[in-house]
Amino acid sequence: MTSQALDHRLRGESVFSELEMLLPFVGKPIQYVGGELNAVTKEWNDADVHWALMYPDAYEVGAPNQGVQILYEVLNEQNRVLAERTYAVWPDLETLMRENGVPQFTVDAHRSVGDFDLLGLSFSTELGYTNMLTALDLAGIPLHADQRDEHPIVIAGGHAAFNPEPISQFIDAAVLGDGEEAVLLITEIVRTWILAGRPGGREGVLLELAKTGCIYVPRFYDVEYLADGRIQRVVPNRPDVPWRITKFTLMDLDAWPYPKAPLVPLAETVHERMSVEIFRGCTRGCRFCQAGMITRPVRERSITGIADMVENGLCKTGFEEVGLLSLSSADHSEIADVARNLADRYEKTQTSLSLPSTRVDAFNVDLANELSRNGRRSGLTFAPEGGSERIRRVINKLVSEEDLIRTVTTAYSAGWRNVKLYFMCGLPTETDEDVLQIATMAREVIRAGRIASGRRDIKCTVSIGGFVPKPHTPFQWAAQLDHESTDSRLRKLKEAIRDDREFGKAIGIRYHDGKPGIVEGLLSRGDRRVGNVIESAWRNGARFDGWSEHFSYDRWMESAEHGLDGTGVDVDWFTIREREYTEVLPWNHLDSGLDAEWLWEDWQDALSEVAVDDCRWTPCFDCGVCDQLDTEIQVGPTGVVDLPMPMPRQSQVLISEVSHADGINETASQ
Amino acid sequence: MSKQTKNRPPDRDLAPTIQKLRLRYAKRGRLRFSSHRDFQRALERALRRADIPMAYSAGFNPHPKISYSNSAPTGVASEAEYVEIGVTAMCDPDKVRRELDEALPPGLDIVEVVVAHGSDFAHRLEASLWKAEIVAPRGEVESAVAAVLASPEITVERLTKAGKRSFDARAGIIQFTLIDGETGAQTDQNADGCVILHMVVRHITPSVRPDDVLAALKQVGGLVPQKPVRVTRLAQGPLALLDEVNYTVGDPFDLDRVSA
Ligand code: B12
Ligand code: SF4
């Protein structure tokens, strides 16, 4: 708990002068002071509704996050609404803040987070849960939602919020899906409640939120368990609260060109560039991919919409690099035209373009070539995800070995020197052999590359991530691989590569051990009982769990033993246990639009090694999203092929419009 | 003309440097916590945003022609930091000042821009005038100052990337002045006294930074302020004698202005 030292402050008053005293003693103080270009500060009293938005990781990771930047701007554009940002503080500052009674603060106007009406948290990963607890505690907000009174309403969003059960005791509400319209709806409900004198107190407003059917308020649902530890059912405990909660889906991306004024952090961040989201959703149907499943259907931004956002963003920020962001950027229906037009526009400038795409095909190489016309061709990334053709059918990643070899050959002959390949380990039905084939593949890549490029200094880096089964995917029923087996498989792979005399030196390998994946698995598919584990881990010092130097597996396991004591279930039960179709999953009442039967059939197809196609180009497979949510796929072509060059802007600093030679005389006369 | 579009003449990146401009900027308030690298990134982005016709170096990975002078340490505010840039068209220094200032976040402020004359700029920066706002009884500051001035040599330690280094801080210290009547920002919150100390420090190698001077005040003068000392660089420039005993730090742009 924070000390009482600052309790005489007025609501919304800055705590900067207290914080400032601590900053000379912490690492990279710039991350705590805000002041970014395009940041907004408003008068506290000019707003009815005050939002604190948190990305629960360090500033360097959180500040570039698009989700938070979008919501920040959408909210601040509203009349009488104020939104500020807050990030996780590193342990050095946390200690000093506790010693000096400085509360969790926003970086915009350095207000105490406890003063706000709402605290919205953006979870792209479950590994931010413990950082949320630190922030709540530093803010003086009781950790448990049922002990809060006039404290902020704590709302979780982002991908991890599709199963918020493990954090249900710490949050007041969760939002599934796109946040733009959601935050506006919440704002209106909360505004009405505040202006009406807060009828019904905290419960009153939470009930209003829950009644919408698209905001999940865990306290209005009871979970009943079977004797064997499985869930029996999840039932609303209020008459007017719906049984199921649906996700938000923003349909017209062109109508929401956010962020319009991207933030330009002073501190160095993980993404030193501007991002323009070119579409949402992905229907490739990779069975391990939660993002692909929960963000359906595909909704594209038009080529003109993209070009306008790029140009406007560059003018407002001065960034040198633009990333065209999405789940699988090369899949935009007009991507070739987008790339060519943007490359033309910015060819003679210092602006560079990048397209995070991992598609394994020659088209992807063409795009990368286009975007790096006069730049350096260092590394290109592809994601076959599985080492053997068999396992790729299981995960529905339809890439043949020939495709891959053809693709990398094209890349090496176009001058790329390093090809990065992404894989997963621990996939359902996987054997050692499937993983060992990664080595074979890398070897073939180098062999083909040496021939294609005629050089021996080319490289191939394989990066291997541990597979974690996620809610709302066909693999939600799968058993996760235990960490011992993961480690042994990876060891064998490493040995196979190391022992390869001919190619071993040209192949780099990067992977993590299997332990963190188990904790992620527990948090991903956990239910309400996992909440105690999180709290106990946090009390034992867990912070920044996404950072290997802060993560401790042993701490989590000890905390799990303690936290799950008496429940009859344990970490293995949540992670390495396969589920049956009939089992009530903790997130069954949360509707991502996917039809449970379709998911199950897809899981069965996976086990029989049957692949499905992308519904953008082939007939609909009835995943349920479009029906259920009354949405539809929105893809081009728009018919626009060539964009006009942007209007030339006259530099404002030249001495005169006349030729340079006259310039010197002009100065004298001015 | 709308700000929404950008003018990037096709050959700008290949164009030669036509003019050199010298910028004086300030690092104020909370942005004093920005590091030199933070400022570099911010300036490069601001130059693009303000559409300053920058000259670029040749080569595979061209970078804008900018040269920085000794920058104030992270956490120290400054009214007098200097940068020189090369541009490919004759620019109006006042317009550059205005546009660039607007393109930078408030707190990183462009104070003045002049057309460069002479290439000896680095030599003009002989010394700095630092202001230290010290929360401590005035008497203690006075006696610490006296103790430092009385010492011929004061070895202080500083943690650098290469490990701990010790050097003589006294060698850089030229003059201390206790300022009366002026109130520092810290006095606003702390009525029980904040002493304003002006320190003139010569730029020598290894450089003596304000925290080294404060370390010296602590070491030989026993001065332990109650709060972190807030330091601001007020001026940087040629060292000159004001009268028989008092030094002053001049304006390094004087020479540019005279030639203009
Ligand atoms: C850029 C990026 C990164 C960057 C920058 C991260 C950042 N701070 O932005 C870097 C490289 C650092 C990164 C790292 C990681 N990432 Co990443 N990343 C992405 C990527 C490509 C874009 C994110 C983005 O900006 N999306 C667009 C915005 C608009 O969407 P959004 O953030 O989800 O926000 C919307 C909604 O979710 C909602 N919302 C969000 N927050 C809130 C809050 C409230 C209160 C409300 C109401 C609504 C709401 O509203 C927003 C607008 O609609 C996504 C893929 C993608 N296209 O989403 C992967 C993705 C998010 N990352 C992912 C992963 C796994 C990671 C890592 C864990 C990887 C690793 N193993 O290290 C780390 C975790 C880092 C961390 N600690 O947070 C996964 C998430 C896993 C999942 N849920 O299935 C994704 C989906 C990629 C994928 N296909 O697997 N990542
Ligand atoms: S291509 Fe596959 S892995 Fe990538 S976002 Fe789409 S479904 Fe997910």
Side-chain angles (χ1 to χ4, degrees), chain A residues 20 33 108 266-268 272 311-312 315-316 318 349-350 376 647 649 651 653 655 664 670, chain B residues 4-8 13 30 32 37-38 41 45 48-49 51 56 61 90-92 95 105 230:
Chain A
E20 197 176 17
V33 307
D108 296 291
L266 279 148
E268 195 165 1
E272 288 291 307
E311 181 59 22
N312 169 61
C315 283
K316 295 238 170 86
T349 70
Q350 305 301 326
R376 205 195 307 261
M647 287 276 286
R649 173 163 66 128
S651 178
V653 300
I655 287 191
I664 299 168
Q670 265 176 6
Chain B
Q4 299 305 309
T5 50
K6 264 200 173 192
N7 175 34
R8 297 187 190 85
D13 43 343
R30 55 181 167 168
R32 73 179 188 276
R37 275 169 58 85
D38 298 334
R41 276 193 308 276
R45 284 172 190 156
R48 280 192 292 272
R49 215 167 92 89
D51 218 32
Y56 277 81
N61 204 355
M90 296 298 275
C91 296
D92 177 335
K95 290 182 185 167
R230 188 194 291 230

Side-chain angles (χ1 to χ4, degrees), chain A residues 11 82 126 170 223 369 390 417 444 555 558 601 636:
Chain A
R11 254 188 103 205
L82 166 162
E126 299 80 11
F170 314 120
V223 181
N369 290 346
R390 187 195 71 78
R417 289 282 154 265
E444 291 310 314
R555 172 162 54 211
E558 281 160 30
E601 275 166 28

Side-chain angles (χ1 to χ4, degrees), chain A residues 8-211:
Chain A
H8 58 273
R9 278 179 313 104
L10 292 174
R11 254 188 103 205
E13 201 179 310
S14 169
V15 299
F16 190 69
S17 54
E18 288 88 348
L19 175 68
E20 197 176 17
M21 294 297 135
L22 314 180
L23 294 182
F25 308 106
V26 302
K28 296 194 201 143
I30 185 70
Q31 66 184 309
Y32 303 117
V33 307
E36 303 91 343
L37 197 68
N38 299 328
V40 177
T41 45
K42 291 186 173 182
E43 286 295 322
W44 186 263
N45 291 330
D46 288 348
D48 305 321
V49 182
H50 308 86
W51 278 85
L53 296 171
M54 175 169 202
Y55 192 89
D57 204 327
Y59 180 89
E60 63 190 85
V61 178
N65 177 257
Q66 292 294 292
V68 170
Q69 287 200 28
I70 291 170
L71 303 183
Y72 175 73
E73 205 173 313
V74 164
L75 286 166
N76 275 320
E77 269 180 12
Q78 298 292 308
N79 236 331
R80 303 197 62 77
V81 178
L82 166 162
E84 300 195 5
R85 296 159 298 128
T86 182
Y87 304 94
V89 299
W90 288 107
D92 61 347
L93 182 57
E94 183 192 337
T95 306
L96 288 173
M97 285 165 68
R98 288 183 188 284
E99 282 169 14
N100 293 277
V102 176
Q104 177 78 23
F105 55 87
T106 58
V107 297
D108 296 291
H110 293 91
R111 290 165 168 143
S112 168
V113 166
D115 288 351
F116 287 74
D117 302 304
L118 292 136
L119 168 60
L121 290 129
S122 182
F123 289 109
S124 17
T125 147
E126 299 80 11
L127 299 173
Y129 291 162
T130 49
N131 283 351
M132 162 179 68
L133 296 186
T134 310
L136 290 175
D137 189 49
L138 284 172
I141 303 171
L143 295 189
H144 292 242
D146 58 9
Q147 282 161 24
R148 292 178 198 144
D149 177 18
E150 286 183 353
H151 301 96
I153 297 164
V154 179
I155 303 188
H159 292 181
F162 276 80
N163 176 25
E165 290 299 82
I167 51 167
S168 59
Q169 48 180 303
F170 314 120
I171 59 172
D172 294 291
V175 168
L176 280 61
D178 298 327
E180 290 86 344
E181 291 165 319
V183 293
L184 293 179
L185 174 68
I186 294 168
T187 301
E188 281 328 302
I189 292 174
V190 171
R191 191 207 304 265
T192 308
W193 172 73
I194 290 175
L195 296 181
R198 303 176 193 251
R202 203 176 176 84
E203 288 247 328
V205 73
L206 291 176
L207 201 55
E208 288 306 314
L209 293 170
K211 279 199 262 181

